[in-house]
């Protein structure tokens, strides 16, 4: 399988160095690792493998930059610089989208219409938001006046996953910069290319040296752990697996760093019999299989009211069968390659477990016929599993969904909440009272009614239970990325 479009030939994959104090540098010890194209299994290039030494340099640069020109810039100038990063991302959209698809295996149409435009919008949104951010003031009878001043937290470490690389990295970086912090970013080791270009983009936009630093490398015993353990890092914003979040929390405890976590999910998609099934199916195809199911918000546990269960399954399976799996650069492709070999093995293993647990594979469950290279798995629909099965309980993060019938509202609420995750949920119903009633009882940070992944960046985004700590978005991001000092003046 060859990704052979004209686009891909025009934009060359890049080797990835660290970006520290405004300069691209290799690792002190010269170590690199290979970046693999998951769609072809070919080597895309080399990535500098950072460790403690590079993190030390990056944190020192970020610490020094905290009190430099970044601090002295007027709010208007900072807004202009942050907006300019977004502008340049849009100017270089084709190049960035190509690199993102080469790195992740996701369809080019997706990276060029969602990942990269949204990365640009993260900067535009938080630049504009900064203009409106204030603090609070209270008059204490006629004795005193209290007012709070907002200041940056300091040096913020940002650790990112591979599924929406630039979108998620900039979702942290834009508010972090807007609030006046300096940052050290650790991109996911599987997807280093767009993060690397971002260094150059920041420099061109006028970000002072040392404000943005990017160190490549792995997680444990590498750049990731060095960042979480560094005593001069004041806060960590982490997106990734719940298990990794637990490890980072214990490392961060040593210097009591502020933490913001966006973690895993096993999200319910609840379909009541009174909903419009065609609309449900159109969106459920996306919430199940878009980005190869590698979205933390995917509704991988589908619960369908028994009255429409058979009809839903028949129509949903027929439509999912039509989804073209293949070359990320072919415009017909709806589902690309999984991000890498290890993840492919993990998803395949869960499909095997589903069969061992008594599940029936209604669709997919295997590599598409004739595709011998690349980490492809067909959209997979599994039925016949019970609530205690691992495939129902554990996050798979691939194009795999389970479908289970239910009879009553109470039953489905209990099933939906029967998980240690609490990231998101979708509810499909045309009964307004039911929509409110059920939404209010689902234990999740985000509940969509008759839709999925409809985003307004002002809203609180994050998970409850083991899906996260805190919320980001709008004011919530500014609360995390800033510290308040209350000043009390006796009158
Ligand atoms: P991961 O936890 O394996 O890795 C994420 C990042 O953490 C990588 O950069 C990795 O190098 C780093 N890391 C790993 N171990 C570390 C350690 N000991 N110390 C410091 N850093 C370490 O996650 P992943 O496989 O890249 O991403 C998939 C996961 O991310 C899924 O669980 C998914 O649900 C979750 N996710 C959540 C959200 C959300 O908004 N809630 C968004 C996207 C992805
Ligand atoms: O839309 C966002 O802001 C966001 N953080 C999405 C996360 C998707 C998870 O894969």
């Amino acid at each position: 399988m060859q990704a052979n479009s004209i686009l891909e030939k025009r934009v060359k994959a890049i080797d990835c160095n660290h970006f520290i104090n405004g300069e691209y540098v290799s690792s002190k010890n010269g170590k690199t690792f290979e970046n693999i194209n998951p769609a072809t299994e070919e080597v895309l290039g080399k990535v500098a493998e950072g460790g403690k030494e590079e993190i030390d340099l990056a944190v020192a640069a970020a610490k020094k930059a905290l009190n430099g020109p970044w601090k002295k810039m007027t709010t208007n100038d900072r807004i202009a610089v942050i907006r300019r990063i977004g502008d340049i991302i849009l100017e270089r959209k084709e190049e960035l989208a190509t690199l993102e698809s080469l790195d992740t295996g996701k369809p080019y149409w997706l990276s060029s219409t969602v990942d990269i435009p949204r990365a640009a919008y993260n900067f535009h949104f938080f630049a504009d938001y900064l203009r409106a951010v204030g603090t609070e003031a209270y008059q204490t009878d006629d004795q005193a006046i209290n007012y709070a001043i907002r200041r940056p937290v300091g040096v913020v470490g940002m650790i990112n996953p591979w599924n929406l690389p630039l979108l998620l990295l900039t979702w942290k970086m834009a508010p972090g910069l807007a609030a006046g912090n300096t940052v050290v970013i650790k991109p996911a080791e599987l997807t280093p290319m767009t993060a690397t270009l971002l260094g150059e983009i920041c420099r061109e936009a006028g970000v002072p040296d040392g404000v943005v630093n990017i160190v490549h490398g792995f997680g444990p015993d590498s750049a990731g752990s060095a960042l979480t353990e560094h005593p001069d890092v004041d806060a960590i914003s982490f997106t990734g697996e719940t298990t990794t979040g637990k490890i980072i929390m214990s490392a961060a405890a040593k210097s009591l760093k502020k933490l913001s976590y966006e973690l895993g999910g096993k999200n319910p998609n609840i379909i009541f019999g009174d909903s419009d099934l065609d609309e449900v199916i159109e969106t459920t195809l996306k919430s199940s299989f878009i980005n190869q199911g590698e979205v933390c918000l995917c509704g991988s546990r589908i619960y369908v009211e028994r009255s429409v269960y058979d009809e839903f399954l028949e129509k949903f399976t027929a439509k999912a069968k039509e989804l073209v799996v293949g070359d990320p650069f072919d415009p017909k492709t709806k589902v690309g390659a999984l991000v890498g070999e290890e993840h492919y093995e993990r998803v395949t293993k869960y499909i095997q477990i589903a069969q061992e647990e008594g599940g029936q594979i209604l669709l997919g469950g295997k590599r598409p016929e004739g595709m011998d290279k690349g980490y492809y798995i067909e959209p997979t629909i599994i039925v016949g599993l019970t609530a205690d099965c691992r495939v129902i309980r554990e996050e798979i993060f691939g194009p795999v969904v389970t479908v289970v019938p239910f009879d009553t509202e109470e039953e489905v609420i209990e099933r939906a909440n029967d998980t240690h995750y609490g990231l998101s949920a979708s509810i499909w119903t045309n009964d307004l009272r039911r929509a409110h009633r059920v939404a209010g009882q689902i234990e999740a940070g985000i509940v969509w009614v008759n839709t999925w992944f409809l985003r307004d960046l002002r809203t609180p985004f994050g998970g409850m239970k083991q899906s996260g700590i805190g919320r980001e978005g709008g004011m919530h991001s500014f609360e995390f990325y800033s510290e308040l000092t209350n000043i009390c003046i006796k009158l």
Side-chain angles (χ1 to χ4, degrees):
M1 168 102 239
Q2 291 293 320
N4 56 5
S5 75
I6 301 164
L7 238 186
E8 198 198 358
K9 282 185 181 142
R10 261 203 319 243
V11 177
K12 287 266 171 285
I14 55 168
D15 285 333
C16 299
N17 269 331
H18 315 295
F19 184 75
I20 300 177
N21 205 21
E23 295 296 332
Y24 283 105
V25 293
S26 50
S27 288
K28 288 274 174 210
N29 61 11
K31 265 175 124 178
T32 58
F33 60 93
E34 284 182 343
N35 185 16
I36 306 292
N37 179 345
T40 62
E41 300 180 38
E42 289 163 2
V43 177
L44 287 166
K46 285 195 184 333
V47 188
E49 184 180 337
K52 187 174 177 318
E53 246 184 311
E54 285 69 35
I55 290 291
D56 283 349
L57 288 172
V59 173
K63 196 173 172 191
K64 184 158 173 248
L66 259 182
N67 291 316
W70 193 231
K71 185 176 179 178
K72 296 181 186 113
M73 232 179 236
T74 64
T75 302
N76 271 348
D77 287 348
R78 199 193 302 154
I79 287 172
V81 168
I82 295 170
R83 279 201 70 82
R84 181 83 190 113
I85 303 175
D87 295 344
I88 303 172
I89 289 176
L90 288 183
E91 285 160 20
R92 298 178 71 170
K93 184 179 86 172
E94 188 179 90
E95 181 187 7
L96 286 161
T98 304
L99 295 180
E100 204 72 306
S101 282
L102 286 172
D103 250 355
T104 56
K106 73 174 72 191
Y108 176 78
W109 64 261
L110 187 59
S111 40
S112 59
T113 59
V114 177
D115 293 71
I116 306 307
R118 170 61 200 280
Y121 184 58
N122 286 336
F123 288 102
H124 291 154
F125 172 83
F126 282 107
D128 291 346
Y129 204 96
L130 175 56
R131 214 178 280 287
V133 171
T135 56
E136 41 196 324
Y138 302 97
Q139 193 172 333
T140 312
D141 301 323
D142 55 0
Q143 286 183 54
I145 181 101
N146 288 275
Y147 66 94
I149 56 164
R150 191 177 288 282
R151 55 178 70 175
V153 179
V155 175
V156 184
M158 301 179 166
I159 302 179
N160 299 278
W162 44 257
N163 63 323
L164 306 170
L166 197 67
L167 186 163
L168 290 174
L169 187 163
T170 55
W171 169 242
K172 300 178 187 310
M173 181 177 158
L177 293 183
N181 299 281
T182 59
V183 305
V184 178
I185 293 164
K186 213 296 276 166
E189 52 271 33
L190 292 173
T191 54
M193 291 198 288
T194 51
T196 303
L197 268 199
L198 196 58
E200 185 180 309
I201 291 171
C202 287
R203 199 162 56 188
E204 190 187 331
V207 175
D209 292 350
V211 172
V212 172
N213 304 275
I214 300 158
V215 179
H216 295 291
F218 297 91
D221 307 316
S222 182
S225 54
L227 186 58
T228 58
E229 285 163 12
H230 202 293
D232 289 340
V233 172
D234 302 288
I236 296 279
S237 178
F238 168 71
T239 301
E241 284 202 21
T242 297
T243 45
T244 312
K246 292 178 185 176
I247 296 167
I248 292 178
M249 186 178 248
S250 89
K254 284 180 208 135
S255 55
L256 216 64
K257 296 185 199 322
K258 207 173 173 186
L259 294 176
S260 176
Y261 273 4
E262 292 185 354
L263 307 177
K266 185 76 182 176
N267 311 302
N269 180 8
I270 302 169
I271 298 161
F272 285 99
D274 67 1
S275 55
D276 174 346
L277 266 199
D278 290 336
E279 199 187 331
V280 171
I281 286 165
E282 197 186 321
T283 303
T284 296
L285 286 170
K286 294 185 189 136
S287 66
S288 303
F289 304 123
I290 202 165
N291 207 48
Q292 304 69 247
E294 296 165 331
V295 179
C296 59
L297 306 161
C298 275
S300 55
R301 287 188 291 143
I302 303 176
Y303 296 103
V304 188
E305 195 163 7
R306 203 175 297 277
S307 56
V308 292
Y309 179 75
D310 290 339
E311 185 187 351
F312 170 84
L313 264 189
E314 191 187 322
K315 288 185 170 168
F316 180 55
T317 309
K319 286 281 181 194
K321 205 173 183 172
E322 289 171 8
L323 297 173
V324 177
V325 183
D327 180 353
F329 291 90
D330 183 334
K332 290 193 295 296
T333 293
K334 287 282 180 285
V335 179
L338 297 191
V339 74
E341 185 177 8
E342 198 181 320
H343 190 55
Y344 173 85
E345 297 298 341
R346 173 185 156 137
V347 175
T348 308
K349 179 85 189 151
Y350 272 111
I351 294 170
Q352 187 192 325
I353 293 171
Q355 287 161 302
E356 289 161 11
E357 287 180 323
Q360 183 197 345
I361 313 270
L362 273 196
L363 184 74
K366 54 180 175 31
R367 172 186 275 284
E369 222 134 281
M371 293 174 71
D372 305 328
K373 280 276 177 206
Y375 305 115
Y376 295 95
I377 293 185
E378 289 174 343
T380 300
I381 302 173
I382 305 171
V383 294
L385 291 174
T386 50
D388 56 333
C389 289
R390 282 184 63 191
V391 171
I392 297 261
R393 306 197 75 78
E394 297 172 20
E395 184 184 43
I396 299 175
F397 216 55
V400 180
V401 293
T402 56
V403 189
V404 171
F406 69 88
D407 293 298
T408 68
E409 205 176 289
E410 295 69 31
E411 176 197 348
V412 78
I413 292 170
E414 194 182 317
R415 280 174 185 246
N417 289 339
D418 182 17
T419 168
H420 64 270
Y421 290 113
L423 187 57
S424 73
S426 282
I427 301 167
W428 293 90
T429 177
N430 282 320
D431 178 337
L432 185 62
R433 290 185 180 177
R434 169 186 274 160
H436 284 295
R437 202 167 51 229
V438 177
Q441 292 178 76
I442 297 294
E443 294 162 359
I446 305 141
V447 178
W448 280 289
V449 177
N450 296 335
T451 186
W452 178 73
F453 210 163
L454 182 60
R455 293 281 288 117
D456 179 328
L457 302 197
R458 293 169 298 185
T459 59
F461 182 96
M464 55 172 73
K465 296 160 121 178
Q466 292 191 28
S467 283
I469 297 179
R471 297 291 181 272
E472 295 198 20
M475 202 54 217
H476 305 276
S477 294
F478 276 93
E479 294 302 355
F480 177 73
Y481 290 110
S482 51
E483 285 288 4
L484 293 174
T485 298
N486 186 66
I487 297 176
C488 174
I489 301 182
K490 188 163 186 298
L491 296 173

